[in-house]
Amino acid sequence: MTKVLAIEDDALLRDSIVNVLTLRGLTAIAAENGYVGLKLAQENLPNLVLCDVRMPGLSGYEVLKSLREDPNTATIPLIFLTAENTPEVMAMGADLGANGYLCKPFSTSELMIAIAPFI
């Protein structure tokens, strides 16, 4: 079964993502911050990671960098979730190896379209 890890510090959005994914028959794993998300990614080796860019503690950029440095997680696709739709944010993620962006707020259909190539 396809596993998707959602790393998002906003509880409402995180729960919403998990519910949408679960209703679509995917295994959804939730993490409330980058530290927990990184640990869960290493333990569960999901097929896809959805990760907020701006989080307290470990940012999404730091999560992505750590995932790419670990041979076990280096090839897991990661889509950033961000409210900052700027060229600088996009360039930073691209430089680190992000596979895409989903700008907040997003609809269920936008989420499903964004993740479709990876599940």
Side-chain angles (χ1 to χ4, degrees):
M1 182 172 268
T2 301
K3 292 183 277 187
V4 180
L5 171 60
I7 307 171
E8 171 60 58
D9 62 326
D10 179 297
L12 185 59
L13 180 54
R14 184 178 62 247
D15 292 346
S16 223
I17 292 169
V18 166
N19 288 336
V20 166
L21 297 175
T22 302
L23 287 172
R24 304 266 177 322
L26 303 170
T27 298
I29 305 163
E32 66 273 14
N33 61 54
Y35 294 111
V36 173
L38 189 55
K39 182 175 186 259
L40 289 174
Q42 293 163 335
E43 291 172 355
N44 294 280
L45 300 175
N47 302 92
L48 174 65
V49 175
L50 301 173
C51 185
D52 189 8
V53 172
R54 304 275 184 230
M55 295 180 288
L58 198 64
S59 75
Y61 297 131
E62 293 165 314
V63 169
L64 178 57
K65 187 173 185 291
S66 295
L67 290 174
R68 294 297 181 255
E69 290 173 350
D70 180 343
N72 294 319
T73 59
T75 60
I76 297 172
L78 183 141
I79 296 175
F80 274 130
L81 308 175
T82 183
E84 299 177 51
N85 187 13
T86 66
E88 295 80 20
V89 169
M90 305 273 182
M92 175 71 135
D95 289 346
L96 293 171
N99 298 89
Y101 281 88
L102 191 54
C103 294
K104 299 176 192 177
F106 51 84
S107 67
T108 297
S109 61
E110 289 170 325
L111 173 63
M112 296 312 295
I113 289 167
I115 70 171
F118 306 103
I119 57 170

